[in-house]
């Protein structure tokens, strides 16, 4: 079995955080009225994208009625609507929507993951849950190491998880550790058989940011386009 596919399988079976195990299962039982006829995934949600990705996007955690329902990162919720539309706009996705695991969506040289793989209550995992889940991110980064050239982190929570994970996976993060900011860009050196990469910060695609205009589609496209250029993916956009 492909190593990344095996990692995804093991992530999907994780039961390490009792609070998250209980919550994801409760949501899957009670459901939202609009999805009452659907069978929820109700498990940890693995990453999504090709095993030779040159660009990794790191979010926060699956949404209770999004990824926790569909089984795919940023799929079936409004945050995903914004993210995948932007990826499509810059030429990194085959279609602008992501509604179900069998909807035909393909990502071009991009993988999407999160530092916490279970849907948390109120969309707020604890720092302890982030630390418990971090070994999965470290393993994912190690498996992507041969091709990975850029990482876009959505939000401060993901940023705080990604920096130590990069170090554990074989990169050298600058000291003092770079602070999160929208539009932040930092070179991260590799060593040995690990190539360098660029780390980019972006406000999270949550409704709190997109509905208020703190993060606009143009701002998101700008960060993704810059990351695509660094990663050698083009990112020229669509007319």
């Amino acid at each position: 079995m492909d190593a990344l596919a095996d990692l995804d399988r093991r992530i999907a079976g994780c039961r390490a955080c009792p609070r998250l195990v209980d919550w994801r299962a409760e949501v899957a039982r009670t459901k939202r009225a609009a999805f009452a006829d659907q069978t929820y995934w109700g498990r940890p949600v693995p990453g999504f994208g090709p095993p030779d990705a040159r660009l990794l996007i790191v979010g926060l955690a699956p949404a209770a009625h999004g990824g926790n329902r569909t089984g795919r990162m940023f799929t079936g919720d409004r945050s995903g609507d914004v993210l995948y539309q932007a990826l499509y706009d810059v030429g990194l996705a085959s279609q602008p929507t992501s509604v179900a695991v069998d909807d035909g969506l393909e990502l071009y040289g991009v993988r999407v993951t999160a530092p916490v793989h279970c849907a948390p209550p109120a969309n707020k995992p604890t720092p302890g849950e982030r630390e418990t889940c971090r070994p999965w991110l470290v393993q994912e980064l190690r498996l992507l190491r041969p091709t990975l050239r850029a990482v876009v982190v959505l939000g401060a929570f993901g940023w705080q998880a990604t920096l130590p994970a990069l170090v554990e996976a074989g990169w050298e993060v600058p000291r003092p550790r770079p602070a999160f900011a929208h539009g932040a860009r930092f070179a991260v050196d590799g060593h040995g058989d690990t190539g360098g990469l660029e780390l980019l910060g972006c406000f999270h695609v949550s409704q709190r940011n997109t509905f208020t205009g703190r993060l606009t589609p143009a701002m998101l496209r700008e960060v993704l386009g810059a990351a695509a250029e660094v990663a050698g993916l083009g990112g020229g956009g669509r007319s």
Side-chain angles (χ1 to χ4, degrees):
M1 181 180 290
D2 174 81
L4 197 56
D6 181 60
L7 176 66
D8 291 344
R9 178 188 58 77
R10 289 188 289 119
I11 288 172
C14 183
R15 298 181 61 85
C17 299
R19 186 180 80 114
L20 300 186
V21 170
D22 290 346
W23 174 252
R24 76 194 192 206
E26 174 66 17
V27 170
R29 282 193 302 270
T30 58
K31 306 181 182 181
R32 177 173 285 173
F35 309 123
D37 62 339
Q38 297 185 20
T39 299
Y40 275 51
W41 171 256
R43 291 187 280 161
V45 181
F48 167 56
D52 59 350
R54 299 180 65 84
L55 167 59
L56 181 67
I57 298 173
V58 181
L60 193 160
H65 302 283
N68 189 58
R69 172 174 60 89
T70 63
R72 192 168 73 189
M73 286 288 177
F74 284 107
T75 295
D77 61 51
R78 293 192 176 184
S79 294
D81 293 343
V82 173
L83 177 61
Y84 288 114
Q85 177 70 62
L87 285 169
Y88 176 79
D89 288 343
V90 300
L92 298 178
S94 63
Q95 59 193 46
T97 58
S98 179
V99 296
V101 293
D102 58 355
D103 63 7
L105 174 66
E106 293 182 55
L107 299 182
Y108 303 137
V110 180
R111 185 168 171 88
V112 181
T113 193
V116 174
H117 286 275
C118 292
N123 292 320
K124 292 182 179 180
T126 67
E129 289 162 349
R130 179 180 64 200
E131 293 306 303
T132 299
C133 211
R134 190 169 75 193
W136 295 125
L137 180 58
V138 173
Q139 292 180 59
E140 192 168 14
L141 286 165
R142 284 174 176 161
L143 291 173
L144 295 173
R145 193 163 52 189
T147 57
L148 191 63
R149 295 298 176 264
V151 178
V152 172
V153 183
L154 304 176
F157 185 96
W159 188 269
Q160 292 164 2
T162 300
L163 294 182
L166 284 168
V167 173
E168 289 186 45
W171 282 273
E172 298 180 1
V173 175
R175 286 189 175 276
R177 294 282 173 86
F180 173 77
H182 179 82
R185 296 179 65 167
F186 296 93
V188 179
D189 294 332
H191 55 82
D193 62 349
T194 304
L197 56 78
E198 189 153 326
L199 183 67
L200 299 90
C202 180
F203 289 142
H204 195 278
V205 289
S206 66
Q207 294 181 52
R208 181 178 60 201
N209 289 332
T210 58
F211 281 15
T212 61
R214 188 179 190 223
L215 178 66
T216 66
M219 291 167 65
L220 180 57
R221 288 194 300 268
E222 183 177 6
V223 173
L224 293 175
E229 185 175 355
V230 169
L233 294 173
R238 301 174 186 274
S239 59

